[in-house]
Amino acid sequence: MHDSLSQVDPFALTRQLIEIESPTFHENAVGKFLVETLTALGYAVETMPVPQPDPALVPGAGTLPRFNVYAVPPETNPEIVFSTHMDTVPPHVPFREDDDFLYGRGACDAKGIIAAQICASQQLLAQDIPTGLLFLVGEERDSAGAKVANRKPRGSRYLINGEPTDSRLALASKGSLRVDLRAHGKMAHSAYPELGESAIAKLVEVLHDIQQLELPVEETIGPSTLNIGLIAGGRAPNVVPDEAEAHLLIRLVGPAEAMKQLIESTVASRVDISYSFEVPLVRMRALGDIPTMIANFTTDIPSLTAWGEPFLLGPGSIHVAHTPNERISRQELLDCIELYVRLAGMLAAIA
C-alpha cells in the first residue's frame, strides 16, 4: 500500500478535481471521483448520504445523490482526521496553469486542499501514522454534510480542517448570523403617496439605523462586521411598494444572542426579523512554531464537534477564493503538504 500511495501528483490531482464542476447540491461527480481515486490507492472508503433540499424551497437544489466521503487505511481507526469540503461556489471557472500557480474554481477553496490532505495522509502512513480523510458536501451553503458526519463520528481525537488560511493555524474563526428583515406597507398609486405606505422606505430607515450601530469588538479576535447582501422589493416605479426585504450577514466575535438583542432593540417593531443561519465563534490553539492567524470566515468546524479537537489550516488565500482569479501557488501547495505532515506528527506524539 505504501508504494501505491507514493505515486500521487498533487498538481495533477488538483487539476482533475477543478475540472469536475461541483457547486453546492451538485457534488455527485466529484464525490464519485474521490471514491474511485481513494479506493484505487488502497483506502477503505465509505460514503455518508446527505439529503438534497426541497427544490421548492431551495432554488438550485440538485437531483442526483450527494454524499460525504470517508476514507482510512484498512483495519485502522485513526485518531487524526483531515477534513475539507468538495463543493464550490458558482460559477465554474475552468482550470488553467502557469509556472507558479494553478487556477480555477476550487483551486484554493478547497480542491487544492483535498489534494494536499491526500498527499499528507500518504506521507504519514509511510511514517506509521494512519490518518482519516473526511470530504464533505454543502460547506458553502449550510454545512449539511458536516451535520450528517457529526452524527457518525469515528472516535478521532483531532480534526485538521482545511480552508485557505495562507498556511497558518487559525486561533479562531468568526461566527456567522444571517438576519432577514421584511417590511410591510400599503400599495397605492405613486401620484398619491399619501394613500399608501412604503415598505421600501421603512426598510431603508431600518438599514440606515443598523449601519450606525457600534458592533462588538473582541480584543484578540477583532471587530464584528456586517454586510447587507441582498435587497428586494416593490412592484413598479409608479407603485408605492407594499413589500420589501433585506438579508444581512454578520460575522460574530461573541454570542449570537447579544447581537440579536442589539439588532432587535434597534429595529423595534418597524419590520419583521428572522434568523435563517447561525454559526458560533470557534476558538482554537496554536501548536509548535506554526504561524497563526484569525479567520474572519466561517467553516464546517462548528458542525463537526464530535470529531475531536479542531485545528484550521490550509494553503491559499481567502482573498482570491470565490473570485474569477481563484488560484493556489504550486510552492505553497507543496509546502502545506509538509506542514500537514508536521502538524499531524505533533498531534500523534501527544495522542
Side-chain angles (χ1 to χ4, degrees):
M1 181 173 176
H2 292 190
D3 292 340
S4 67
L5 286 176
S6 67
Q7 303 304 310
V8 172
D9 178 341
F11 304 145
L13 182 54
T14 299
R15 174 184 58 77
Q16 289 174 295
L17 289 164
I18 291 172
E19 288 178 341
I20 303 172
E21 294 188 38
S22 59
T24 309
F25 310 131
H26 302 273
E27 305 99 337
N28 180 272
V30 73
K32 286 182 175 179
F33 172 80
L34 285 169
V35 169
E36 293 168 3
T37 299
L38 293 168
T39 300
L41 290 171
Y43 287 90
V45 183
E46 67 173 287
T47 60
M48 302 177 184
V50 179
Q52 287 280 5
D54 184 346
L57 301 176
V58 180
T63 57
L64 295 176
R66 60 201 298 241
F67 48 85
N68 301 325
V69 177
Y70 181 58
V72 297
E75 300 180 0
T76 67
N77 186 25
E79 293 197 323
I80 302 166
V81 172
F82 289 105
S83 180
T84 191
H85 59 95
M86 59 181 108
D87 66 315
T88 64
V89 298
H92 182 67
V93 178
F95 176 83
R96 63 184 176 90
E97 60 184 315
D98 58 30
D99 291 343
D100 298 318
F101 291 93
L102 307 176
Y103 300 83
R105 181 60 74 230
C108 67
D109 191 18
K111 291 179 174 179
I113 293 172
I114 291 175
Q117 291 185 340
I118 291 173
C119 291
S121 179
Q122 296 171 313
Q123 292 188 25
L124 286 158
L125 187 59
Q127 300 175 22
D128 293 320
I129 302 175
T131 56
L133 294 164
L134 177 64
F135 301 131
L136 303 163
V137 301
E139 189 272 347
E140 296 291 2
R141 292 291 292 266
D142 58 6
S143 291
K147 292 170 184 174
V148 167
N150 214 41
R151 298 195 292 268
K152 302 177 181 180
R154 296 295 186 268
S156 52
R157 292 184 60 188
Y158 302 106
L159 178 80
I160 302 174
N161 189 248
E163 291 286 350
T165 67
D166 295 297
S167 298
R168 295 176 292 169
L169 268 177
L171 297 180
S173 65
K174 290 183 179 180
S176 292
L177 179 66
R178 178 165 168 168
V179 184
D180 304 312
L181 305 176
R182 291 179 173 83
H184 307 282
K186 179 182 177 183
M187 276 194 289
H189 195 294
S190 65
Y192 302 93
E194 69 276 8
L195 299 180
E197 186 180 14
S198 173
I200 289 178
K202 286 183 182 181
L203 185 64
V204 168
E205 289 178 359
V206 166
L207 292 175
H208 175 269
D209 292 347
I210 289 175
Q211 287 184 299
Q212 305 309 305
L213 289 174
E214 291 189 15
L215 299 179
V217 177
E218 209 289 326
E219 183 178 355
T220 61
I221 298 174
S224 303
T225 57
L226 182 148
N227 180 58
I228 303 171
L230 294 169
I231 296 180
R235 307 286 180 170
N238 59 346
V239 178
V240 174
D242 62 324
E243 299 287 343
E245 63 185 60
H247 303 275
L248 290 57
L249 189 67
I250 302 173
R251 302 292 177 177
L252 301 170
V253 299
E257 287 306 315
M259 182 63 72
K260 290 178 183 179
Q261 291 174 13
L262 182 61
I263 295 292
E264 289 166 10
S265 64
T266 302
V267 171
S269 59
R270 292 179 289 173
V271 300
D272 295 337
I273 306 175
S274 60
Y275 306 98
S276 55
F277 185 70
E278 182 179 328
V279 177
L281 166 77
V282 176
R283 293 181 183 270
M284 291 162 281
R285 65 179 167 117
L287 199 63
D289 61 354
I290 299 175
T292 60
M293 56 88 75
I294 301 295
N296 289 347
F297 51 88
T298 301
T299 74
D300 272 333
I301 286 176
S303 297
L304 290 170
T305 54
W307 284 78
E309 180 185 356
F311 294 84
L312 179 62
L313 173 71
S317 170
I318 195 69
H319 295 156
V320 298
H322 301 192
T323 74
N325 200 39
E326 184 173 347
R327 65 187 182 273
I328 192 166
S329 158
R330 292 176 181 270
Q331 189 59 54
E332 188 180 2
L333 185 59
L334 294 177
D335 290 345
C336 199
I337 293 170
E338 298 305 316
L339 196 54
Y340 277 143
V341 170
R342 185 151 65 95
L343 174 58
M346 288 188 283
L347 295 173
I350 60 177

